[in-house]
Amino acid sequence: MELYRSHVLICGGTGCTSSGSDLVEERFYEEIKKNGLEKEVKVIRTGCFGLCEVGPVVVVYPEGSFYAHVKPEDAKTITEEHLLKGRIVRDLLYYESLEEASDQVKSINEVDFYQKQMRVALRNCGVIDPENIEEYIAMDGYAALGKVLTEMSPADVINNIKQSGLRGRGGGGFPTGVKWSFAAGAKNDQKYMICNADEGDPGAFMDRSVLEGDPHAIIEAMAIAGYAIGASQGFVYIRAEYPIAVQRLEIAIAQAKENGLLGKDIFGTGFDFDLEIRLGAGAFVCGEETALLQSIEGYRGMPRPKPPFPANKGLWQKPTIINNVETLANIPQIILKGAEWFSSIGTEKSKGTKVFALGGKINNTGLIEIPMGTTLREVIYEIGGGIPNGKKFKAVQTGGPSGGCITYEHLDQPIDYDNLIALGSMMGSGGMIVMDEDNCMVDIARFFLDFTVDESCGKCTPCREGTKRMLEMLEKITSGRGEEGDIEKLEKLAYTIKDSALCGLGQTAPNPVISTIRYFRDEYEAHINDKKCPAGVCKNLLTYYITDDCIGCTKCARNCPVDCISGEVKKLHVIDTEKCIKCGACMEACPVNAIVKK
Amino acid sequence: MKTLAELAKIRDEAKGKIDLRGKKGTRIVVGMATCGIAAGARPVLLSLVEEVKKRNLNDVEVVQTGCIGVCRLEPIVEIYEENGEKVTYVEMTPEKARKVIADHIVNGKVVSEYTIGANA
């Protein structure tokens, strides 16, 4: 590695890559070469920076200049101005990093989006080159593994994790140290350590980003866990839909093996640990741990009843621990900085930080990490930058298809495992979908049910048949055929499924319905009794009409695909509601917003 | 890798190379506007970077800036100490730059004959 005076960090996360960051990288190499700066300026492809909304993201150090929406052609400008002459290209900076009053340029770490965050699991994402083991080591990487192997007994490690209060980040929230102690206590000649990277919630991409940005942290944590429970073999179960994460992980595993950090006799302590990748085909249910085990063994991914728990009888009937990616990302930090440091962050029963994928109706779509106990208001308005277009906040959905909604009244509630459950939602893996006044809550429930019906493995009847019937009822309501008593039927079925389904997927599948009925019963009633969709989403319940604001420009009539709008030039137009297919083309075409739907 | 000492060695070596991202310390600023470049600021900048690397000065960063305004005295190199104090060197050459690193940065002795006060 050479010493360079300037580092150009280009985001290589999935978000930025899909908006063209690889082309940006290519152009930077060309421009830097053209200007003869190869020996002074280094280009590094990192993991996700988190602010995916403004991608492709490029950060130039030592200044920490945060360039947003960088296009390939901008590489020329940044190279010639910033890298060659040291003049930061203000026009290309992230809007918030330019202080208007003083015209000062803020570094990436000073903008609001990052100020409120606390990055533990994401600490290296967007900071190091994930494909370079030396950079990970420079950030104290593998020091935790060294410490564990040379100074601590397996029991010490487990106690340490127990004391830290770390709970599983995949959704369940089970104390990680306690889980480890079950497998450590099980007597067997072979045990397994598994990383669950089968991230399936719609809109969630925390685990993918950790693996893309800091794969070595997962390898190190798995080796530590292997030592603690007595496992010499690990597997990372990851979906094939995450090609960049798989590739970086493969590179990282190869580097770790090359450096003797995986394999036989690590650090000369006699501890052996090997790691392999297992690709999943992307079935949601395979994130459930017993289904995941089936899938690794080569069978169809279907859950089985618990007990026996995997910690006693897991992979090939051997004691197995399955931890989520984000859970593992915390482990090396806890070992190095101590259980007390970790347990000082967060709330009484939820320690540490949590990564959330912010999506939906929010300005700063992206990935954030906050201490447990941060309020939703801080997340949405301070880090997330609020709701676009001045719309009114309605609810936030957490926990994906297994979770529920949290409404305006609860914006000031601190986010932690127990509080979210009390509010009828759950932490889940960390998807956070923000909804505004234009979202219909019945339709949201229908969307999630549609997902679970699709993903139900079909093994147990409550989930296979029950979710299907619920979806039918929701479709009936959103299409305007709802009858009195439907809400009660939905509720009854929801609780039956909750009580009788085999695995977590089925037991939590009714949550979106239960929670939307709990907080937005009036919307359900409006659909059923008044045949109206208050948010204006459900097509069958809408009527488009033209108000007196019409200037008679004929644009709507020309854009209507079914020719149902009539009227003379410069006179009020009329929609034939019988023929109207409610496509909304006229509304988009109208220059004076004279068309409304109700 | 068989020992913790080996790990520590890799860490220390690699650390210096990524310290650039988020360190505080002495800043060496080179004027690199058109005037600076025309007067020969690039070789000065390169020799500064080389010297910093050779001496393993992890808490020193070399950055460029635009035109400071006294173009006739370019190449200009300014050194900002952590405490906010600033020394401005003018009409720099690669040789002078190396001396500034050795005397000023390493030994804390300002090379007064190169400063703007002595040459203006």
Side-chain angles (χ1 to χ4, degrees):
Chain A
M1 231 159 56
E2 287 287 313
L3 185 74
Y4 296 89
R5 64 173 169 83
S6 189
H7 290 183
V8 178
L9 272 57
I10 300 175
C11 177
T14 295
C16 285
T17 304
S18 60
S19 49
S21 70
D22 43 352
L23 277 175
V24 174
E25 186 185 1
E26 221 171 86
R27 286 295 292 273
F28 262 107
Y29 277 115
E30 282 170 24
E31 291 298 330
I32 286 171
K33 197 158 174 234
K34 211 191 287 173
N35 286 285
L37 297 169
E38 306 104 299
K39 288 204 170 124
E40 303 159 51
V41 179
K42 187 180 182 185
V43 177
I44 298 136
R45 199 171 173 78
T46 69
C48 181
F49 282 90
L51 199 52
C52 312
E53 177 71 30
V54 299
V57 170
V58 172
V59 177
V60 179
Y61 282 101
E63 295 92 340
S65 309
F66 182 8
Y67 292 109
H69 292 305
V70 180
K71 292 183 285 297
E73 55 270 30
D74 296 335
K76 185 176 156 73
T77 322
I78 295 175
T79 308
E80 288 176 356
E81 286 295 306
H82 189 160
L83 299 177
L84 185 64
K85 297 181 183 165
R87 287 198 288 240
I88 293 172
V89 189
R90 288 164 187 244
D91 293 349
L92 298 175
L93 288 176
Y94 172 55
Y95 72 95
E96 205 214 297
S97 51
L98 205 58
E99 194 120 52
E100 266 178 44
S102 59
D103 204 33
Q104 285 277 315
V105 178
K106 289 197 231 173
S107 102
I108 181 165
N109 302 311
E110 291 164 344
V111 303
D112 285 353
F113 181 74
Y114 291 101
Q115 281 269 295
K116 279 250 160 190
Q117 296 194 44
M118 176 169 188
R119 289 161 96 86
V120 177
L122 296 177
R123 69 186 188 108
N124 286 335
C125 290
V127 178
I128 63 166
D129 177 355
E131 296 182 10
N132 185 337
I133 191 170
E134 280 184 26
E135 295 209 356
Y136 179 66
I137 292 175
M139 303 300 282
D140 289 324
Y142 291 105
L145 179 62
K147 182 177 171 187
V148 161
L149 293 183
T150 53
E151 295 171 24
M152 297 168 86
S153 71
D156 290 341
V157 179
I158 291 175
N159 278 333
N160 203 331
I161 301 300
K162 271 188 191 167
Q163 278 162 15
S164 74
L166 175 66
R167 293 168 68 174
R169 297 290 192 251
F174 192 81
T176 307
V178 177
K179 199 179 198 179
W180 286 10
S181 68
F182 293 154
K187 298 243 177 309
N188 212 300
D189 53 335
Q190 176 70 58
K191 297 179 190 175
Y192 295 105
M193 176 67 212
I194 293 176
C195 170
N196 183 349
D198 191 65
E199 185 174 47
D201 287 5
F205 53 94
M206 296 74 55
D207 298 345
R208 185 187 76 204
S209 294
V210 171
L211 286 168
E212 285 174 357
D214 199 11
H216 283 285
I218 302 305
I219 297 174
E220 183 180 10
M222 288 189 71
I224 293 171
Y227 175 73
I229 64 170
S232 58
Q233 176 67 49
F235 294 99
V236 180
Y237 186 83
I238 181 169
R239 36 182 59 211
E241 292 155 40
Y242 282 180
I244 300 178
V246 172
Q247 189 201 357
R248 300 229 168 110
L249 193 60
E250 278 169 353
I251 293 171
I253 290 176
Q255 286 174 343
K257 283 185 180 166
E258 224 170 83
N259 284 281
L261 295 162
L262 278 177
K264 297 265 177 233
D265 195 22
I266 300 170
F267 285 122
T269 56
F271 172 67
D272 305 337
F273 190 77
D274 213 343
L275 197 56
E276 282 176 40
I277 297 177
R278 286 289 179 272
L279 294 184
F284 184 62
V285 73
C286 288
E288 199 281 334
E289 51 183 20
T290 57
L292 183 152
L293 294 176
Q294 292 273 317
S295 176
I296 293 184
E297 288 178 16
Y299 299 105
R300 184 172 167 182
M302 280 179 151
R304 59 160 177 77
K306 293 190 274 192
F309 287 94
N312 296 310
K313 279 193 172 170
L315 194 60
W316 293 298
Q317 301 298 310
K318 306 289 186 190
T320 304
I321 288 297
I322 302 150
N323 281 142
N324 159 269
V325 173
E326 193 192 331
T327 316
L328 290 169
N330 282 295
I331 303 280
Q333 291 297 296
I334 295 174
I335 300 287
L336 285 180
K337 295 188 175 172
E340 274 170 28
W341 162 78
F342 192 79
S343 64
S344 70
I345 309 165
T347 62
E348 197 194 337
K349 286 188 175 154
S350 305
K351 302 298 187 190
T353 58
K354 178 77 190 88
V355 182
F356 286 100
L358 264 187
K361 306 282 180 65
I362 185 101
N363 276 318
N364 295 338
T365 305
L367 203 65
I368 60 163
E369 181 167 357
I370 46 166
M372 295 274 191
T374 306
T375 65
L376 269 174
R377 188 184 297 279
E378 288 172 280
V379 170
I380 293 167
Y381 289 97
E382 291 177 32
I383 300 172
I387 317 285
N389 307 323
K391 294 274 184 181
K392 207 170 144 246
F393 169 85
K394 188 182 219 171
V396 53
Q397 216 275 352
T398 65
S402 310
C405 318
I406 300 165
T407 55
Y408 189 79
E409 297 80 67
H410 301 114
L411 264 186
D412 290 308
Q413 289 281 343
I415 300 168
D416 69 10
Y417 286 102
D418 310 293
N419 230 327
L420 288 186
I421 287 177
L423 293 175
S425 184
M426 67 186 278
M427 185 76 82
S429 56
M432 205 179 254
I433 301 167
V434 182
M435 289 170 282
D436 68 6
E437 52 191 309
D438 291 341
N439 287 103
C440 167
M441 301 315 282
V442 187
D443 189 59
I444 293 289
R446 190 200 53 78
F447 168 81
F448 280 114
L449 250 289
D450 192 41
F451 178 84
T452 14
V453 167
D454 233 23
E455 293 290 347
S456 172
C457 78
K459 184 169 181 173
C460 74
T461 321
C463 176
R464 185 186 63 235
E465 300 297 329
T467 55
K468 179 90 182 141
R469 298 289 92 80
M470 281 177 79
L471 177 63
E472 284 168 2
M473 277 192 249
L474 288 168
E475 278 170 348
K476 188 177 143 197
I477 295 173
T478 52
S479 64
R481 291 176 289 117
E483 298 164 56
E484 215 183 303
D486 277 352
I487 302 179
E488 289 71 23
K489 269 193 214 161
L490 261 178
E491 279 181 316
K492 191 172 175 213
L493 183 53
Y495 285 107
T496 311
I497 297 173
K498 227 173 146 56
D499 291 340
S500 55
L502 174 63
C503 80
L505 189 150
Q507 288 157 10
T508 56
N511 283 353
V513 178
I514 295 174
S515 123
T516 47
I517 293 181
R518 176 171 164 189
Y519 293 117
F520 298 97
R521 202 180 184 100
D522 55 325
E523 283 195 29
Y524 278 84
E525 282 164 353
H527 281 78
I528 296 170
N529 302 334
D530 313 334
K531 308 287 180 225
K532 288 276 169 220
C533 175
V537 172
C538 300
K539 259 193 186 177
N540 282 351
L541 304 177
L542 292 178
T543 323
Y544 283 81
Y545 63 91
I546 302 176
T547 65
D548 292 343
D549 294 339
C550 175
I551 52 169
C553 72
T554 72
K555 254 192 179 161
C556 54
R558 278 181 281 135
N559 275 286
C560 177
V562 291
D563 291 328
C564 72
I565 303 177
S566 54
E568 284 172 46
V569 181
K570 294 198 175 161
K571 290 209 175 122
L572 183 71
H573 281 52
V574 183
I575 299 175
D576 178 356
T577 48
E578 291 289 301
K579 270 167 80 186
C580 173
I581 55 164
K582 298 162 188 173
C583 65
C586 52
M587 210 168 156
E588 266 171 44
C590 182
V592 291
N593 296 325
I595 301 176
V596 291
K597 53 178 181 178
K598 261 198 178 156
Chain B
M1 192 174 316
K2 281 296 161 222
T3 61
L4 282 179
E6 277 175 75
L7 182 70
K9 192 168 158 256
I10 297 181
R11 186 188 58 213
D12 295 341
E13 279 174 12
K15 212 167 198 155
K17 286 158 192 165
I18 67 163
D19 266 350
L20 195 59
R21 300 167 217 166
K23 72 172 173 193
K24 290 273 174 285
T26 309
R27 281 166 62 92
I28 304 179
V29 181
V30 185
M32 290 278 279
T34 306
C35 52
I37 294 174
R42 283 194 52 77
V44 172
L45 176 86
L46 287 178
S47 73
L48 286 168
V49 171
E50 242 165 62
E51 207 64 17
V52 165
K53 178 187 161 194
K54 208 157 62 188
R55 293 169 183 270
N56 236 342
L57 301 171
N58 286 341
D59 56 347
V60 174
E61 62 180 29
V62 181
V63 295
Q64 326 101 293
T65 187
C67 176
I68 301 170
V70 268
C71 311
R72 67 186 178 92
L73 296 176
E74 293 280 1
I76 296 175
V77 172
E78 295 191 298
I79 297 184
Y80 290 82
E81 300 287 353
E82 225 168 332
N83 57 22
E85 268 179 44
K86 182 178 85 172
V87 177
T88 306
Y89 293 107
V90 298
E91 293 180 335
M92 293 297 282
T93 61
E95 294 72 42
K96 286 181 178 177
R98 276 190 279 275
K99 189 170 161 60
V100 165
I101 296 273
D103 289 8
H104 185 154
I105 305 287
V106 178
N107 296 316
K109 238 181 75 206
V110 175
V111 193
S112 39
E113 71 256 41
Y114 300 162
T115 60
I116 190 161
N119 292 276

